Amino acid sequence: MNPLSRRKFLKISGATIAAAAAIGTVSKALDKAETTKHKGIQKIPTFCDICFWKCGAIAYVRDGELWKVEGNPLDPLSKGRLCPRGTGGVGAHYDPDRLRSPLIRTQERGKEMWKEVTWDEALSYIADKMQKIKSQYGPESIAVFSHGIGGNFLKHTLKAYGAINFAAPSFAQCRGPRDVGFRLTYGEDVSSPERTDIKNAQCLVLIGSHLGENMHNTQAQEFAEAVGNDASIIVVDPRFSVAASKAKYYLPIKPGTDLALLLAWMNVIVTENLYDKEYVEKYGFGFEQFKAELLAYTPEWSYPETGIEPKLIRATAREMARYKPATLIHPGRHVNWYGDDAQRSRAIALLNALMGSWGRKGGFYYPVSMDVPGYPYPSYPTPTKDKVDNPDKKYPFAHEAITTGIREATLTGNPYPVKGWFVYATNLIQALPNEEITKQAIQNLDLVVVVDVIPNEIAGWADVVLPESVYLERHDDINVEWFRDSFVGLRQPVVESPHDQKPNWWIAKKLAEKLGLGNYYPWKDVEEYINYRMTAAGLSFDELKKNGIILGTKQPNYFDEGVPAEFQTPSGKIEFYSLQLQQAGFDPVPKYKRPAGGPAGSFRLLYGRAPVHSFSRTQTNRILSDMMPENEVWLNANIAERYSLKSGDYIKLKNQDGVVSNKIKVKATERIRQDCVYMVHGFGHTAKGLKHAFGKGASDSQLLTRFETDPLMGGTGMNMNFVTIEIEA
Amino acid sequence: MARFGMVIDTKKCVGCMDCVVACKTENDVPEAFNRDWIVQDVRGKNPDLHMEIRTERCNHCDNPPCVYCCPTGASHVHDLGGIVLVTHDLCIGCKACLASCPYDTRFIHPEGYADKCTFCVHRVEKGLDPACVSVCPTHCMYFGDLDDPNSQVSKLLTSRKNHSLIPEAGTKPQILYLV
């Protein structure tokens, strides 16, 4: 049903709504007959999937039609308030550009020419190809790219088949370097949701992290809470972000030099004896060697690199020390910038260690979880090969699979051929740097399967496209979250899928049956699976269906609440000096290296997030696209004037390798430095099926032809591209 | 009678547009139209900048020109207390109210009537906050009776510096922004 006819329908039925007396909670999944019959308003709890944060939500169904989605007050992540994307989640259900039925390719890959087929045909086709790949190359030759909780069942089927190469861009293209930097220092990841105790921070330092624009709900809520509590905010960003507008200190740093600032901050804190001595003595390893290395990095040394005046560096270092240990230097999330990102993240971890903030209120809490056993499946086949993404441990500190490593193996056939890709809910064309390499790698594949809700760019390169129900129409695995409070969350159907879309669990189970792996699915349907897990945990599935969330008991989050101060590092302490880095041939204390500059007259291309869009997957959501239909390129006002450009003019950007973007609107602003430009990621769609988003704005990822690989963990630093301005004729 | 108004803490607002999205779904606002929006008011030169972020909408003025100029009586003040509304069936879409509003808050709905923020009167009647207030993830919006000295909105106004939009228009806006 298109949105206009829905509105007409709603208008006509307005009287019925006003008269509806019974507003109750309906806890069971609705079959179609029941949905169309039901009058009045039903409130059904579930959790969101517009991003991967998994906020508890309550969906309102009015006379059988999806009306609106609100936050679930029981949910510790959303605390009853969704972000704009979650509120606009209704648009995902009504999106006219959705995939509607299974598709099999009829022309060469990338042409986006399909025939509609039945589920049986599509799954038989896939199973047949999979069996051929297995017999010719082994099951390890099928790789899986999967993002979010929705892919759990598909991954299960592929593990049963014998696949071992599973990766998500969330590691090598996002938070990987950060987690490696913290793991090297504390022996643990920052993880997701981040264990940052923002709401209790008295001093919050954001380095390129644009909370408020980057709308991870809990983080944004706690950021506003910290601002409301008059926490001292320090923002380091080449762009005057929303967060910068809340800051006591704004440091407009030269892009790529953050590590020089971090080292200078630590120099001031150590030489002025401003660090938490008791904490460092008790928990630290190698502090004296660390201190000796820092002495060279004075604020005066840092100044020509960063452009931040020494007196401002000193003032902000002292400001941080004033509020320790409730000083949180936020580790960021998407931190793949310059290829030295794990070491920069390690410097952030070390600065936090000087503040004594790890394990302390207002710093980093220890997340907790409920004990919910997994389903007792038969064991997976024993692999005969190693994973393909990181041969010979080239990147010794990668603790998750590297997407771009799988891409490389697919391209070269080394260490062994990769012949099939399964892609679940991640638009690899826009998620990985240099899309031409991705397209070349795809040419070597015998099978490409994309499971998604919209026909995005990667779907255009698939042999088979499987249309998934959107989150409001399906069950997924339960969310047993690691967070400040422990809880279990349920995703359950609110409305029927409008066409021939199916939930992931159904697709995965049917595919397993086609592959002769039906024994890996002893359960009849997903409710039986969830019920098993809930019962095994001693929890009530009925209560979960009714409330959407079951809370665990309060457990300690900080050292002074009884969390043992144990560190899973080689020394068992916080490693100021890292022997394992030294032994692997890396700097035991991070060292700054100036990033390569661009051609004369070019601008470094920076990109980020908008609060109303998730990656490249929400631009056809009519509600969210109404909020932001296209992206803009931010140009410093003086630069814009030099080119006689004003806000609203369209230009194109050309990168150092001659790649020219789609046209993009200029935002001439004082809010950015003169040496860089900025745009929001996820626009400039080229997939024909994304009718509403096609050609709107420019794609940053198209311009990211160059990237610098992090030698510690294989992350791809992507702020290495430079653009010039092409005036529209 | 109450005098309903909004107090918005610009210090906490991050301009995420959740208020705009919530209004859209709550009130079935048609595609390409919005009853509320975000303004980022930037002053200064890089790097010495100041930015006030505001969520804006109909100010439900105490002295409402849109009501005075309406030839049919469609634009009116609701009995509930200061809420300016449009009766769709009486509206002829003449746009006099659009011209009279100093805040440019009104638009002509595709079905032909002047439309704008209603303060979610259908929710207020049930004792609920307007949708935008109730969803705001930063808790920067407050709704209540400006005439009641004990209401949260009144207390915020006495304790914090605040301003309204275009006060010189003399319309007595009922939305106030904390700075």
Side-chain angles (χ1 to χ4, degrees):
Chain A
M1 185 183 285
N2 71 47
L4 201 68
S5 69
R6 176 175 75 100
R7 266 183 217 105
K8 277 184 186 151
F9 169 76
L10 295 174
K11 193 172 161 61
I12 294 158
S13 61
T16 325
I17 296 151
I23 301 177
T25 303
V26 169
S27 59
K28 67 198 275 285
L30 304 159
D31 65 34
K32 195 152 202 161
E34 211 175 341
T35 313
T36 45
K37 262 192 287 180
H38 200 103
K39 289 283 169 198
I41 289 168
Q42 300 161 278
K43 299 203 274 183
I44 304 171
T46 187
F47 66 81
C48 186
D49 192 43
I50 299 292
C51 83
F52 45 79
W53 204 257
K54 305 190 283 279
C55 289
I58 294 176
Y60 285 65
V61 178
R62 186 169 56 186
D63 296 336
E65 296 264 339
L66 180 64
W67 173 28
K68 61 176 179 175
V69 190
E70 293 180 349
N72 184 343
L74 290 174
D75 170 44
L77 290 172
S78 72
K79 292 193 272 184
R81 297 187 177 219
L82 297 176
C83 86
R85 297 167 303 171
T87 306
V90 175
H93 170 68
Y94 289 109
D95 186 348
D97 291 342
R98 287 178 66 172
L99 289 163
R100 294 168 181 233
S101 75
L103 303 170
I104 289 182
R105 181 167 63 82
T106 56
Q107 290 187 20
E108 65 183 278
R109 288 187 182 130
K111 292 279 186 201
E112 303 178 82
M113 295 303 285
W114 318 100
K115 60 173 178 189
E116 291 193 356
V117 296
T118 64
W119 278 96
D120 193 62
E121 283 173 90
L123 294 173
S124 296
Y125 180 94
I126 295 167
D128 182 51
K129 291 267 187 180
M130 286 176 76
Q131 302 293 26
K132 283 188 184 138
I133 290 171
K134 189 186 239 176
S135 59
Q136 203 176 343
Y137 303 97
E140 299 86 353
S141 284
I142 286 191
V144 185
F145 301 89
S146 175
H147 190 240
I149 195 169
N152 282 13
F153 296 109
L154 189 66
K155 284 195 277 189
H156 170 60
T157 295
L158 285 148
K159 283 175 189 167
Y161 163 84
I164 57 168
N165 293 300
F166 295 83
S170 49
F171 183 72
Q173 282 71 45
C174 195
R175 60 176 170 74
R178 175 197 77 183
D179 285 343
V180 169
F182 272 70
R183 197 175 262 227
L184 285 163
T185 309
Y186 297 102
E188 281 185 54
D189 295 358
V190 179
S191 68
S192 174
E194 281 81 8
R195 57 202 290 176
T196 45
D197 197 11
I198 298 172
K199 69 175 181 183
N200 291 312
Q202 290 168 34
C203 176
L204 175 67
V205 184
L206 300 174
I207 302 170
S209 177
H210 51 328
L211 295 184
E213 289 160 283
N214 185 3
M215 202 64 199
H216 293 145
N217 196 354
T218 319
Q219 301 259 311
Q221 289 197 20
E222 293 196 13
F223 174 63
E225 196 174 339
V227 170
N229 292 339
D230 290 324
S232 178
I233 313 281
I234 298 169
V235 171
V236 180
D237 202 315
R239 189 176 65 94
F240 187 78
S241 59
V242 164
S245 76
K246 315 291 182 190
K248 180 172 176 187
Y249 294 98
Y250 167 53
L251 282 61
I253 196 165
K254 187 174 173 190
T257 67
D258 309 78
L259 186 47
L261 174 66
L262 286 157
L263 292 168
W265 269 341
M266 292 196 284
N267 170 289
V268 174
I269 286 162
V270 166
T271 56
E272 295 187 8
N273 279 309
L274 299 173
Y275 60 98
D276 187 333
K277 284 191 204 60
E278 197 189 325
Y279 183 95
V280 168
E281 273 169 30
K282 204 164 161 190
Y283 304 129
F285 170 84
F287 180 74
E288 289 307 318
Q289 288 151 293
F290 161 79
K291 182 178 173 180
E293 286 219 12
L294 279 182
L295 296 177
Y297 306 125
T298 60
E300 285 71 20
W301 162 83
S302 174
Y303 183 30
E305 298 299 325
T306 59
I308 307 298
E309 286 184 31
K311 68 174 184 206
L312 188 53
I313 296 177
R314 289 198 168 84
T316 43
R318 290 167 192 157
E319 182 81 357
M320 284 181 237
R322 186 170 304 141
Y323 295 102
K324 69 175 185 294
T327 293
L328 172 63
I329 300 96
H330 195 287
R333 185 166 180 112
H334 181 94
V335 295
N336 290 70
W337 300 344
Y338 301 100
D340 62 350
D341 307 301
Q343 287 282 24
R344 185 187 65 250
S345 296
R346 189 166 134 69
I348 292 173
L350 291 168
L351 179 56
N352 277 295
L354 292 175
M355 295 295 107
S357 66
W358 181 270
R360 310 278 280 280
K361 196 169 184 176
F364 293 81
Y365 63 80
Y366 273 70
V368 294
S369 180
M370 285 170 88
D371 187 14
V372 181
Y375 195 93
Y377 289 124
S379 52
Y380 298 127
T382 311
T384 57
K385 293 172 185 160
D386 288 335
K387 290 179 184 174
V388 79
D389 64 290
N390 190 11
D392 304 321
K393 283 264 169 200
K394 184 178 174 192
Y395 304 109
F397 298 101
H399 59 270
E400 290 182 34
I402 302 163
T403 44
T404 27
I406 293 177
R407 183 176 74 173
E408 183 74 12
T410 309
L411 200 60
T412 62
N414 294 315
Y416 54 85
V418 175
K419 288 293 168 184
W421 280 12
F422 267 80
V423 185
Y424 176 78
T426 172
N427 186 9
L428 291 184
I429 300 293
Q430 287 217 4
L432 306 183
N434 199 324
E435 60 186 53
E436 288 310 315
I437 300 178
T438 308
K439 291 171 187 171
Q440 280 169 31
I442 288 171
Q443 299 310 324
N444 290 349
L445 296 167
D446 293 344
L447 175 66
V448 184
V449 180
V450 166
V451 185
D452 216 308
V453 296
I454 51 167
N456 54 26
E457 281 74 20
I458 189 65
W461 292 83
D463 303 332
V464 187
V465 182
L466 302 177
E468 198 190 16
S469 305
V470 303
Y471 69 103
L472 292 161
E473 304 155 4
R474 69 180 198 236
H475 280 99
D476 270 320
D477 208 345
I478 44 177
N479 179 28
V480 186
E481 193 59 279
W482 286 87
F483 186 59
R484 193 189 275 117
D485 312 295
S486 62
F487 67 94
V488 182
L490 176 71
R491 178 172 291 154
Q492 63 184 334
V494 172
V495 281
E496 284 271 294
S497 291
H499 317 100
D500 200 11
Q501 300 94 345
K502 296 285 184 191
N504 186 286
W505 69 265
W506 184 93
I507 300 169
K509 189 175 194 296
K510 292 288 172 200
L511 179 61
E513 286 162 8
K514 289 273 180 205
L515 291 163
L517 301 167
N519 60 316
Y520 281 89
Y521 284 87
W523 39 267
K524 163 174 102 302
D525 59 28
V526 70
E527 288 200 74
E528 188 181 315
Y529 162 89
I530 296 171
N531 190 42
Y532 179 93
R533 292 190 67 192
M534 293 299 287
T535 308
L539 300 169
S540 160
F541 186 24
D542 284 339
E543 185 189 340
L544 188 63
K545 285 195 268 191
K546 184 166 165 273
N547 296 328
I549 298 283
I550 291 180
L551 296 169
T553 49
K554 175 72 190 146
Q555 296 170 63
N557 295 125
Y558 310 109
F559 292 155
D560 65 8
E561 288 181 352
V563 175
E566 291 166 357
F567 305 95
Q568 308 300 317
T569 54
S571 64
K573 297 200 158 193
I574 300 171
E575 302 211 331
F576 284 95
Y577 194 86
S578 172
L579 293 175
Q580 58 172 335
L581 276 175
Q582 191 181 41
Q583 281 153 12
F586 298 110
D587 298 326
V589 176
K591 280 189 166 57
Y592 170 73
K593 186 168 151 261
R594 187 180 304 158
S602 67
F603 305 91
R604 193 181 288 272
L605 173 63
L606 305 177
Y607 58 89
R609 305 283 183 227
V612 290
H613 285 288
S614 291
F615 314 119
S616 58
R617 62 197 260 184
T618 50
Q619 289 75 28
T620 56
N621 176 319
R622 300 302 196 265
I623 295 174
L624 297 179
S625 71
D626 238 14
M627 301 299 122
M628 182 183 182
E630 61 188 301
N631 59 354
E632 299 171 310
V633 58
W634 294 41
L635 283 185
N636 176 278
N638 293 336
I639 301 292
E641 200 182 325
R642 194 184 305 162
Y643 284 86
S644 305
L645 290 167
K646 56 185 190 309
S647 289
D649 291 347
Y650 280 93
I651 59 169
K652 289 183 176 180
L653 300 172
K654 184 179 182 180
N655 83 354
Q656 70 283 329
D657 297 319
V659 174
V660 180
S661 76
N662 190 28
K663 64 175 189 170
I664 182 169
K665 218 185 241 185
V666 168
K667 178 186 171 101
T669 177
E670 291 292 333
R671 292 175 57 195
I672 190 163
R673 288 172 58 99
Q674 300 197 12
D675 52 4
C676 51
V677 297
Y678 171 86
M679 68 172 79
V680 167
H681 170 77
F683 288 86
H685 281 287
T686 54
K688 286 182 275 189
L690 303 177
K691 294 189 186 71
H692 191 67
F694 183 88
K696 287 184 185 166
S699 163
D700 56 312
S701 35
Q702 183 200 17
L703 297 166
L704 305 180
T705 50
R706 297 206 184 172
F707 57 95
E708 190 80 24
T709 304
D710 194 310
L712 272 65
M713 49 65 70
T716 54
M718 298 185 279
N719 288 3
M720 310 303 293
N721 292 274
F722 294 86
V723 294
T724 49
I725 292 166
E726 305 268 297
I727 305 290
E728 278 276 83
Chain B
M1 193 175 81
R3 184 168 62 95
F4 283 114
M6 260 183 209
V7 171
I8 293 162
D9 188 348
T10 62
K11 210 173 98 179
K12 286 170 79 175
C13 177
V14 296
C16 74
M17 303 177 88
D18 206 0
C19 45
V20 187
V21 179
C23 174
K24 200 143 185 122
T25 56
E26 178 71 30
N27 297 300
D28 301 304
V29 179
E31 210 171 309
F33 295 96
N34 291 313
R35 290 180 179 180
D36 52 348
W37 55 89
I38 296 292
V39 170
Q40 293 186 332
D41 191 349
V42 183
R43 300 189 186 171
K45 289 276 178 191
N46 191 315
D48 298 314
L49 293 163
H50 177 268
M51 177 163 73
E52 182 175 280
I53 305 174
R54 293 190 300 266
T55 165
E56 295 186 1
R57 58 190 46 62
C58 167
N59 278 286
H60 296 273
C61 301
D62 205 20
N63 189 24
C66 55
V67 172
Y68 305 148
C69 76
C70 179
T72 68
S75 280
H76 66 283
V77 180
H78 190 272
D79 295 342
L80 202 60
I83 302 179
V84 176
L85 296 175
V86 181
T87 307
H88 299 171
D89 292 347
L90 289 179
C91 178
I92 54 170
C94 74
K95 301 186 187 176
C97 56
L98 272 68
S100 77
C101 175
Y103 309 105
D104 196 17
T105 65
R106 291 181 170 224
F107 60 91
I108 298 296
H109 189 281
E111 290 174 14
Y113 54 84
D115 199 14
K116 64 166 197 75
C117 165
T118 63
F119 266 169
C120 282
V121 66
H122 62 288
R123 292 174 60 94
V124 177
E125 280 168 346
K126 291 181 192 156
L128 299 169
D129 277 336
C132 54
V133 176
S134 74
V135 300
C136 175
T138 70
H139 292 258
C140 78
M141 301 177 70
Y142 305 87
F143 182 79
D145 183 359
L146 296 168
D147 278 345
D148 174 2
N150 294 315
S151 68
Q152 192 177 17
V153 283
S154 298
K155 285 178 180 167
L156 282 164
L157 292 176
T158 51
S159 64
R160 295 267 302 271
K161 258 177 83 173
N162 60 78
H163 70 91
S164 59
L165 299 180
I166 326 182
E168 61 275 22
T171 55
K172 298 185 186 165
Q174 307 296 297
I175 296 183
L176 296 124
Y177 294 92
L178 303 176
V179 294

